[in-house]
Amino acid sequence: MKGKTFFITGASAGFGAACASIFAETGNRLVLTARRSDPLLALQRELAEKAEVHVMSLDVRDRQAVARAVESLPAPFRDIDVLINNAGLALGLEPAHKVDLDDWETMVDTNIKGLMYCTRLILPGMVERNRGHIINLGSVAGSWPYPGGNAYGGTKAFVEQFSLNLRCDLLGTRVRVTCIQPGMAETEFSKVRFKGDDKKAAQVYSGTEALTAEDIAETIHWVVNRPEHVNINTLELMSVDQAWGPFAIHRKK
Ligand code: NDP
Ligand code: 8X3
């Protein structure tokens, strides 16, 4: 894929940063967004020789800010070909009756509402140009329940169904939509989930070969490089060190 414009949310770390690197091919233009601007500026410097990179500090939960960001894109970056709706997070692993309600709200605001804002503001241009691709980051947590997955899994189930419903609305256009559903991948994800507790985060991946951010970026690279008439609807991937467990049964003592 060459000569395309990418808009990537959550590009300051993990999957988003790896996507920026893999799509920094000759002739591509990248709009990299996240709340933290220092890592974005570092990426911009790193990729400067290969790609035109525009960075913007953006909190996807802020609807007006998302609108301003899209409206204020410099001319060469305005016609977005690929939107990677990647910004997202899990907070906590407590059972539902002990959860901090603010954490649930943050996950809904980021993983659902932020993704909707970016989609709604960027999609009309794609439809007008009759080309484009939206990549939404779902998760295995959207299909498979696990203890403590509560609202996080709920937000990712939304991402899957929203992605499929978008394709229904887009039938008759050449705009593609894909929901990528990774399992355990070693990024800043667990550090964020455990609110900066590095030890707890490291335990998640200890003794396993988890997916990497590069694995996800390569998968997305493959998805967007399919022939233009091919739409990958959903794509779920896991490390070989991860699988499903049996149903949990509570037994009376
Ligand atoms: P990271 O924590 O490494 O990166 C998350 C990115 O999202 C960061 O760049 C962060 O940037 C950005 N972000 C978080 N909140 C906001 C916000 N309000 N506004 C803008 N940007 C935000 O996690 P991953 O790369 O692992 O995760 C990327 C996506 O993939 C998420 O949607 C996650 O749910 C999903 N996923 C992750 C899996 C995993 O095991 N790692 C597996 C399945 C799905 P900043 O803090 O600078 O704003
Ligand atoms: C992240 C994967 O299994 O930690 O979406 O929920 S998991």
Side-chain angles (χ1 to χ4, degrees), residues 138-141 146 152 156 182-185 189-190 193 204 242:
S139 166
V140 293
Y146 61 82
Y152 177 68
K156 294 303 186 178
M184 172 183 68
F189 179 83
S190 292
R193 172 169 248 172
V204 174
Q242 187 177 29

Side-chain angles (χ1 to χ4, degrees), residues 37-231:
S37 47
D38 285 354
L40 294 180
L41 291 166
L43 252 181
Q44 186 181 37
R45 281 194 295 275
E46 186 189 319
L47 305 176
E49 281 187 11
K50 296 193 236 165
E52 281 180 75
V53 181
H54 180 67
V55 300
M56 280 191 298
S57 173
L58 177 66
D59 186 332
V60 294
R61 293 172 297 177
D62 183 340
R63 180 172 160 176
Q64 307 307 331
V66 176
R68 278 196 302 275
V70 174
E71 280 158 18
S72 68
L73 284 171
F77 296 91
R78 221 165 270 161
D79 293 349
I80 296 157
D81 296 295
V82 183
L83 163 63
I84 304 182
N85 269 324
N86 164 75
L89 77 176
L91 289 172
L93 206 51
E94 289 81 24
H97 53 289
K98 293 186 179 167
V99 137
D100 180 344
L101 195 49
D102 287 342
D103 286 349
W104 276 6
E105 210 164 359
T106 302
M107 289 188 275
V108 168
D109 288 347
T110 311
N111 303 356
I112 296 184
K113 291 169 77 179
L115 183 141
M116 288 198 301
Y117 300 154
C118 294
T119 302
R120 181 62 184 86
L121 288 156
I122 290 173
L123 187 56
M126 291 183 172
V127 172
E128 208 178 296
R129 293 184 292 279
N130 199 25
R131 66 162 199 273
H133 199 152
I134 298 180
I135 304 285
N136 290 330
L137 263 297
S139 166
V140 293
S143 308
W144 313 106
Y146 61 82
N150 43 65
Y152 177 68
T155 65
K156 294 303 186 178
F158 169 88
V159 172
E160 175 176 4
Q161 199 62 15
F162 184 62
S163 304
L164 300 177
N165 280 336
L166 281 176
R167 266 305 299 152
C168 293
D169 291 352
L170 291 166
L171 187 67
T173 77
R174 305 288 282 184
V175 180
R176 302 186 286 177
V177 184
T178 302
C179 182
I180 305 284
Q181 301 169 308
M184 172 183 68
E186 191 164 358
T187 60
E188 292 182 7
F189 179 83
S190 292
K191 189 175 170 176
V192 171
R193 172 169 248 172
F194 299 120
K195 303 180 178 172
D197 187 333
D198 287 322
K199 209 169 144 200
K200 236 172 157 179
Q203 276 165 8
V204 174
Y205 312 109
S206 161
T208 73
E209 189 174 356
L211 296 174
T212 64
E214 289 68 33
D215 292 328
I216 306 308
E218 280 170 17
T219 303
I220 294 173
H221 189 267
W222 179 81
V223 164
V224 302
N225 278 295
R226 292 309 84 223
E228 284 180 4
H229 67 287
V230 177
N231 191 89

